Amino acid sequence: MVPGLAKAWYLVRSPRREQVDDLYERVIRCAKGAALMTDTKCEIQMIKAIWNVLPNSVLEDLLEECMKRVGPPEFGPDDEAFAWEITRTVTQAQREGALQGARIPKELWNRPLHNTVLPRPEIIEDSKGSTDVGDASWCCPTAQFRTACNAFGTPGHSWQYVAQAGMGIGHKGMITAAKILAEAGFELMTNEKALLGAKKAFTELSGGKMYRCAMPEGHKPAFDQFSE
């Protein structure tokens, strides 16, 4: 039986915004071609469109230095015990996949929690995720960092991740992150050389390209796709 109405949700990703635009147009042509072949109608709603993150090496260097000053989160025995309990609920394949994805050195894999500050990798790979931080990074110098908020090898988007984020492990990781941000913010307010360096890196990497919203002009949010 062929249904009278069918819906599909596609998320088009690529390392660069212009690549996403090209892929999106290809997906649209595929949908219209399928509709033409089956003598049906095709309606398309764009839900979101974001930019890739524009890194800033000057701010990344500053954040790394601030992380060294602040130090890692200080986890207690209860945090470690809970982390081990969580680890037992994750399969070995899941854990190793998450550790490899986070580029955690193998010599640290036998620990439940991270209590050191890892140096940034020499070669920064393109992010495999999507975030609206990308839009902000094309408007002003932007950088990101991570703190330990869950046990090693916790899969993303999982109940294990949520359980740890809402208790002591996640809280201590976020307190550490707040201290690092405060340290970096103070440095930028009092160190003009660092501030000008971040602006210069932003201008050079963006190539002077002005930000424009990836959503079409006049586009209205498609709220109805969440109503069913």
Side-chain angles (χ1 to χ4, degrees), residues 128-194:
K128 303 299 188 296
S130 300
T131 171
D132 50 10
V133 171
D135 288 69
S137 73
W138 282 88
C139 298
C140 64
T142 304
Q144 301 180 90
F145 66 96
R146 295 180 179 180
T147 58
C149 293
N150 49 67
F152 269 166
T154 301
H157 306 287
S158 65
W159 69 263
Q160 292 95 334
Y161 206 108
V162 174
Q164 295 168 89
M167 53 88 66
I169 295 175
H171 181 72
K172 290 174 181 176
M174 287 297 94
I175 291 296
T176 300
K179 291 179 180 179
I180 294 168
L181 287 173
E183 185 87 9
F186 179 78
E187 184 75 22
L188 289 170
M189 287 190 294
T190 57
N191 186 338
E192 186 178 13
K193 182 180 178 181

Side-chain angles (χ1 to χ4, degrees), residues 72 75 79-80 83-84 87 95 99 104-118 150-154 164:
F75 298 115
D79 299 319
E80 187 168 326
W84 276 124
T87 299
R95 190 167 189 267
L99 288 168
I104 302 299
K106 284 194 173 182
E107 58 267 25
L108 301 177
W109 285 18
N110 62 337
R111 300 182 184 180
L113 289 168
H114 202 333
N115 59 354
T116 60
V117 176
L118 289 177
N150 49 67
F152 269 166
T154 301
Q164 295 168 89

Side-chain angles (χ1 to χ4, degrees), residues 61-131:
D61 289 340
L62 176 60
L63 284 170
E64 184 174 22
E65 180 59 33
C66 292
M67 290 185 77
K68 293 176 181 178
R69 296 179 201 168
V70 172
E74 297 182 2
F75 298 115
D78 291 343
D79 299 319
E80 187 168 326
F82 189 80
W84 276 124
E85 289 297 322
I86 287 291
T87 299
R88 295 188 185 97
T89 70
V90 180
T91 67
Q92 187 67 16
Q94 285 178 312
R95 190 167 189 267
E96 291 185 3
L99 288 168
Q100 290 171 350
R103 298 187 294 273
I104 302 299
K106 284 194 173 182
E107 58 267 25
L108 301 177
W109 285 18
N110 62 337
R111 300 182 184 180
L113 289 168
H114 202 333
N115 59 354
T116 60
V117 176
L118 289 177
R120 287 167 33 229
E122 294 182 6
I123 299 177
I124 307 297
E125 299 178 0
D126 287 322
S127 173
K128 303 299 188 296
S130 300
T131 171

Side-chain angles (χ1 to χ4, degrees), residues 198-228:
K199 290 182 177 179
K200 181 181 178 182
F202 170 76
T203 302
E204 290 177 350
L205 196 57
S206 65
K209 186 175 182 179
M210 298 297 293
Y211 169 78
R212 62 169 180 79
C213 180
M215 299 293 283
E217 187 175 353
H219 182 81
K220 296 182 179 180
F223 291 114
D224 61 320
Q225 73 268 5
F226 302 109
S227 62
E228 296 180 4

